[in-house]
């Protein structure tokens, strides 16, 4: 493992040798910073950790509310597989983070997944993961960014969220320990994906999925779609690329256009519903 100190106060962590560790104490948007570093040629396996994220870009043009003690990190990948499989990396990351959180909470905790990119406990959001793609110097990159409410959750009552500490009452877990746990589990699940196939990962994800048949709205800056993820005879079928079929009930196209090559030019929660 190599370490790039991007700030005066580097925090040492124990990571598998496959990672290049980049610590940035404070950042506005970690997703934007990961895209910037990827466009500048950051290596496969770069893992970026910030302990102070000021303005996290979430899905549907919303802001992820950040608190002291949250976990915010990004991993950069440079895939050598088909673009139709890029979305599978988001599912690998969700399963990896879900398993990591599960290992630090009580066995009977109601941990689940919300399609397309959230992790919840007792139907309260505890984490989100975003997948962005881009191209620089003729090489495609993916960045997987996650935010987890470790010690605190947003105080706004309109935000249905909870923290790990609130779930457990008290916990010795902190953002550093969870990052180390996730980093190890992500490598394990990437190996499972490579050796056992996407079906193995998909089934782990599908068994904890909690928002089947609920109305869902998706946006990517150019289009808004409302629909449901259906539960039916084909619910256990493993799709070739995305996680599940999405049945739209309404579509609204906006005036905004996503600029080619921008930091979030191909953010996937909407695009991967059926991407060409």
């Amino acid at each position: 493992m190599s370490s790039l100190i991007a700030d005066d106060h580097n925090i040492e962590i124990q990571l598998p040798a496959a990672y290049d560790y980049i610590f940035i104490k404070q950042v506005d948007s970690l997703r934007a910073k990961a895209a910037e570093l990827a466009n500048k040629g950051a290596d496969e396996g770069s893992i970026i950790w910030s302990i102070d994220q000021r303005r996290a870009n979430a899905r549907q043009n919303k802001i992820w509310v950040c608190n002291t003690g949250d976990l915010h990190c990004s991993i950069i990948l440079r895939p050598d597989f088909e673009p139709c499989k890029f979305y599978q990396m988001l599912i690998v990351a969700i399963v990896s983070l879900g398993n990591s959180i599960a290992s630090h909470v009580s066995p009977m905790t109601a941990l689940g997944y919300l399609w397309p990119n959230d992790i919840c406990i007792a139907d309260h959001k505890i984490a989100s993961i975003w997948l962005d793609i881009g191209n620089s110097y003729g090489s495609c990159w993916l960045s997987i960014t996650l935010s987890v409410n470790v010690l605190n959750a947003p105080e706004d009552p309109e935000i249905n969220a909870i923290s790990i500490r609130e779930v457990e009452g008290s916990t010795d877990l902190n953002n550093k320990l969870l990052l180390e746990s996730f980093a190890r589990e992500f490598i394990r699940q990437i190996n499972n994906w490579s050796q056992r196939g996407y079906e193995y990962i998909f089934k782990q994800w599908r068994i904890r999925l909690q928002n089947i048949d609920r109305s869902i709205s998706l946006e990517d800056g150019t289009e808004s779609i409302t629909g449901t993820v259906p539960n039916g005879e084909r619910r256990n079928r493993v799709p070739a690329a995305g996680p599940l079929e999405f049945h739209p009930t309404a579509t609204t196209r906006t005036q905004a256009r996503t600029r080619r090559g921008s930091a979030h030019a191909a953010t996937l929660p909407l695009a991967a519903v059926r991407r060409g």
Side-chain angles (χ1 to χ4, degrees):
M1 178 193 74
S2 64
S3 177
L4 185 155
I5 302 177
D7 196 275
D8 292 336
H9 304 286
N10 194 29
I11 299 178
E12 293 296 333
I13 59 176
Q14 299 298 316
L15 295 175
Y19 292 108
D20 286 330
Y21 172 44
I22 301 173
F23 176 74
I24 303 175
K25 183 179 180 181
Q26 185 180 104
V27 67
D28 286 334
S29 167
L30 191 56
R31 289 176 68 188
K33 175 57 70 173
E36 175 190 331
L37 293 173
N39 281 323
K40 290 180 178 179
D43 291 334
E44 160 97 357
S46 294
I47 188 166
I48 309 154
W49 180 29
S50 176
I51 59 173
D52 186 2
Q53 182 174 214
R54 295 300 179 90
R55 190 176 177 82
N57 298 317
R59 198 167 56 82
Q60 303 186 99
N61 299 315
K62 295 180 180 179
I63 300 299
W64 179 273
V65 178
C66 302
N67 291 290
T68 302
D70 288 352
L71 172 61
H72 309 290
C73 74
S74 294
I75 295 176
I76 294 173
L77 304 176
R78 295 195 174 273
D80 57 1
F81 47 85
E82 304 92 328
C84 67
K85 295 182 179 179
F86 288 173
Y87 191 87
Q88 296 178 11
M89 294 301 99
L90 178 59
I91 306 304
V92 171
I94 291 172
V95 170
S96 300
L97 182 58
N99 289 350
S100 299
I101 293 173
S103 70
H104 292 284
V105 298
S106 302
M108 298 303 292
T109 300
L111 183 94
Y113 305 141
L114 298 175
W115 189 88
N117 65 326
D118 294 330
I119 298 176
C120 66
I121 291 180
D123 215 25
H124 289 69
K125 188 181 296 187
I126 200 166
S128 281
I129 303 178
W130 303 275
L131 176 63
D132 298 298
I133 68 174
N135 191 291
S136 61
Y137 303 103
S139 172
C140 186
W141 55 261
L142 308 179
S143 71
I144 298 167
T145 302
L146 58 91
S147 287
V148 186
N149 299 329
V150 179
L151 300 182
N152 301 286
E155 296 181 356
D156 188 341
E158 295 186 0
I159 300 177
N160 187 30
I162 200 168
S163 70
I164 296 175
R165 179 166 61 181
E166 289 175 287
V167 171
E168 292 295 284
S170 64
T171 178
D172 293 330
L173 181 66
N174 57 42
N175 49 12
K176 174 179 175 289
L177 292 175
L178 185 58
L179 174 57
E180 293 173 341
S181 177
F182 167 73
R184 293 190 298 269
E185 182 66 12
F186 185 70
I187 287 183
R188 191 172 78 88
Q189 295 299 340
I190 281 285
N191 288 334
N192 284 333
W193 173 82
S194 176
Q195 297 166 13
R196 300 187 181 190
Y198 178 53
E199 179 177 1
Y200 177 81
I201 303 297
F202 174 85
K203 288 182 176 179
Q204 293 183 68
W205 174 81
R206 177 62 179 80
I207 199 170
R208 281 180 163 162
L209 192 62
Q210 295 189 358
N211 58 341
I212 293 293
D213 282 336
R214 297 184 192 176
S215 179
I216 301 170
S217 294
L218 302 174
E219 294 180 11
D220 72 344
T222 61
E223 194 171 65
S224 175
I225 296 178
T226 300
T228 60
V229 180
N231 191 8
E233 292 181 358
R234 296 192 298 166
R235 63 185 178 275
N236 291 318
R237 179 177 63 85
V238 180
L244 283 177
E245 292 180 343
F246 178 77
H247 287 189
T249 56
T251 302
T252 302
R253 187 172 295 278
T254 66
Q255 296 298 316
R257 292 185 178 274
T258 305
R259 179 168 55 86
R260 182 179 177 86
S262 66
H264 308 296
T267 306
L268 291 184
L270 174 58
V273 168
R274 183 59 61 191
R275 188 169 185 256

